[in-house]
Amino acid sequence: MSKQTALPESVDATENLLAAGAYVADRSLATALYLALKLGRPLFLEGEAGVGKTEIAKVLAECLGRDLIRLQCYEGLDVSSAVYEWNYARQMIEIRLAEATGDTGGRSGRAALTRDVFSEDFLIKRPLLQALEPRESGPPVLLIDELDRTDEPFEAFLLEVLSDFQITVPEIGVFGAEAPPVVVITSNRTREIHDALKRRCFYYWVDYPDAERELEILGKKAPEAGEALRRDVVAFIQKLRDVDLFKLPGVAESIDWAQALAQLDVVALEPETLNATLGTLLKYQDDIERIRGSEAMRILDEIRTEASLNRVRGS
């Protein structure tokens, strides 16, 4: 696959860029992404887990030939893990060496040593600070993944980064990006993200795909599964998303399930294989128990009936 370093110049070009990375996007997503890239704004993607939010950043980095810098968020994430921290071990060694050689004598000597150990040489740069550094391949793609897992104080810290693409290190000064990175922020909406942060971004809700688009996705991501099997998988999952489950299957689970069934040499869904592989599709035992057996058969019968009616109408 050929790579480009320049950003796409139209919505059509953005669609083509995503398609080159085997990402099947609808027009509205391509439009939101194009505007975010064109205007240099972060793209805030919200939606259920497994619908393809993270994949957008990966495809952008791959197809644009840019580095991907990923900040995986979690509860308790702080500045030392996300932005920078000082290499305290090296600083202590430098201080001990200075003491051993007598370079710390007097006020001026101590001041010089303080400046030395709090210089960039002793700074450990984490993802957010790394994203501001210039690179030969151009500004990187910064993925801030699952922001909803962090605490609200970390959101407040991000405001400076997303507004001015700069970070203040008190002991040194301000680090600013010569050219802003491409920023993609994702959230599974386990909690609401503050409006102040959302205002700095273009927003897009990534929904579950319709049957036609999901079939196209499986054609690209699970081609080893035959067409008839892919149609069965999509039809079953589309029905499953109407059931009241603790966690509905996303596109990631669709792909995993199709690939797993292909490894078992399945050519069409049958009750025995379906029940045996539900753990690939559903991630909670209560959901598996609810679907396994009679409910799976009911959905499978609906699929078969609808397929028969469509063949009759088409003949």
Side-chain angles (χ1 to χ4, degrees):
M1 180 182 65
S2 61
K3 297 179 180 179
Q4 66 180 76
T5 55
L7 299 178
E9 291 295 329
S10 66
V11 176
D12 288 337
T14 306
E15 274 191 292
N16 293 336
L17 179 74
L18 293 172
Y23 191 97
V24 182
D26 58 28
R27 185 74 174 181
S28 57
L29 172 56
T31 301
L33 178 57
Y34 166 70
L35 291 173
L37 293 173
K38 189 70 174 178
L39 299 177
R41 298 276 293 279
L43 179 63
F44 188 95
L45 300 173
E46 207 165 37
E48 300 294 338
V51 293
K53 303 183 296 296
T54 299
E55 190 67 17
I56 292 173
K58 293 179 179 179
V59 168
L60 272 179
E62 180 184 359
C63 294
L64 290 174
R66 309 281 183 91
D67 293 332
L68 175 65
I69 298 177
R70 180 173 183 169
L71 175 62
Q72 182 61 54
C73 298
Y74 55 87
E75 187 177 352
L77 180 67
D78 58 11
V79 171
S80 64
S81 299
V83 190
Y84 74 93
E85 65 178 328
W86 292 105
N87 191 331
Y88 297 114
R90 279 194 61 198
Q91 286 175 322
M92 288 304 300
I93 291 171
E94 189 75 9
I95 291 169
R96 297 301 182 214
L97 287 174
E99 289 175 345
T101 57
D103 290 342
T104 60
R107 181 178 298 177
S108 61
R110 288 193 296 273
L113 178 59
T114 300
R115 286 194 302 271
D116 288 342
V117 297
F118 285 105
S119 65
E120 195 169 343
D121 292 338
F122 295 89
L123 194 65
I124 301 174
K125 298 177 180 179
R126 300 304 187 194
L128 291 182
L129 197 52
Q130 292 172 12
L132 303 184
E133 295 182 306
R135 297 165 186 265
E136 288 186 7
S137 59
V141 175
L142 172 62
L143 169 62
I144 303 175
D145 209 14
E146 299 183 328
L147 180 61
D148 53 315
R149 292 182 179 272
T150 64
D151 305 314
E152 290 187 13
F154 184 75
E155 278 186 54
F157 177 82
L158 280 180
L159 296 179
E160 179 188 19
V161 181
L162 299 181
S163 295
D164 305 315
F165 293 104
Q166 66 178 31
I167 290 171
T168 302
V169 179
E171 297 87 348
I172 297 179
V174 177
F175 287 80
E178 294 179 3
V182 175
V183 181
V184 177
I185 303 171
T186 74
S187 168
N188 295 334
R189 208 175 187 182
T190 57
R191 69 171 178 85
E192 287 293 335
I193 302 300
H194 199 279
D195 288 344
L197 190 141
K198 284 186 173 182
R199 282 198 302 269
R200 288 159 172 79
C201 309
F202 281 127
Y203 176 88
Y204 188 82
W205 174 266
V206 183
D207 209 345
Y208 295 114
D210 60 23
E212 183 179 352
R213 190 155 67 90
E214 194 157 20
L215 191 60
E216 188 178 353
I217 291 169
L218 290 189
K220 292 180 179 294
K221 297 294 187 179
E224 63 272 29
E227 183 179 352
L229 177 59
R230 295 198 301 269
R231 289 188 180 280
D232 280 355
V233 165
V234 169
F236 188 88
I237 290 175
Q238 292 282 326
K239 293 284 187 184
L240 204 57
R241 290 186 185 133
D242 292 330
V243 180
D244 184 18
L245 298 175
F246 185 78
K247 170 65 177 70
L248 298 178
V251 179
E253 285 77 27
S254 302
I255 296 168
D256 287 345
W257 197 34
Q259 292 173 340
L261 292 170
Q263 291 300 313
L264 296 173
D265 297 322
V266 175
V267 294
L269 276 184
E270 298 297 340
E272 184 178 353
T273 307
L274 193 160
N275 287 316
T277 57
L278 276 177
T280 310
L281 186 62
L282 302 173
K283 305 304 179 182
Y284 289 89
Q285 182 60 24
D286 289 348
D287 289 346
I288 292 174
E289 289 299 325
R290 175 165 186 180
I291 298 302
R292 179 182 285 148
S294 59
E295 183 66 8
M297 278 299 302
R298 182 190 67 78
I299 296 174
L300 202 55
D301 287 343
E302 281 188 16
I303 292 171
R304 298 286 184 254
T305 301
E306 290 176 4
S308 298
L309 290 174
N310 287 335
R311 283 195 298 270
V312 170
R313 293 191 189 101
S315 60

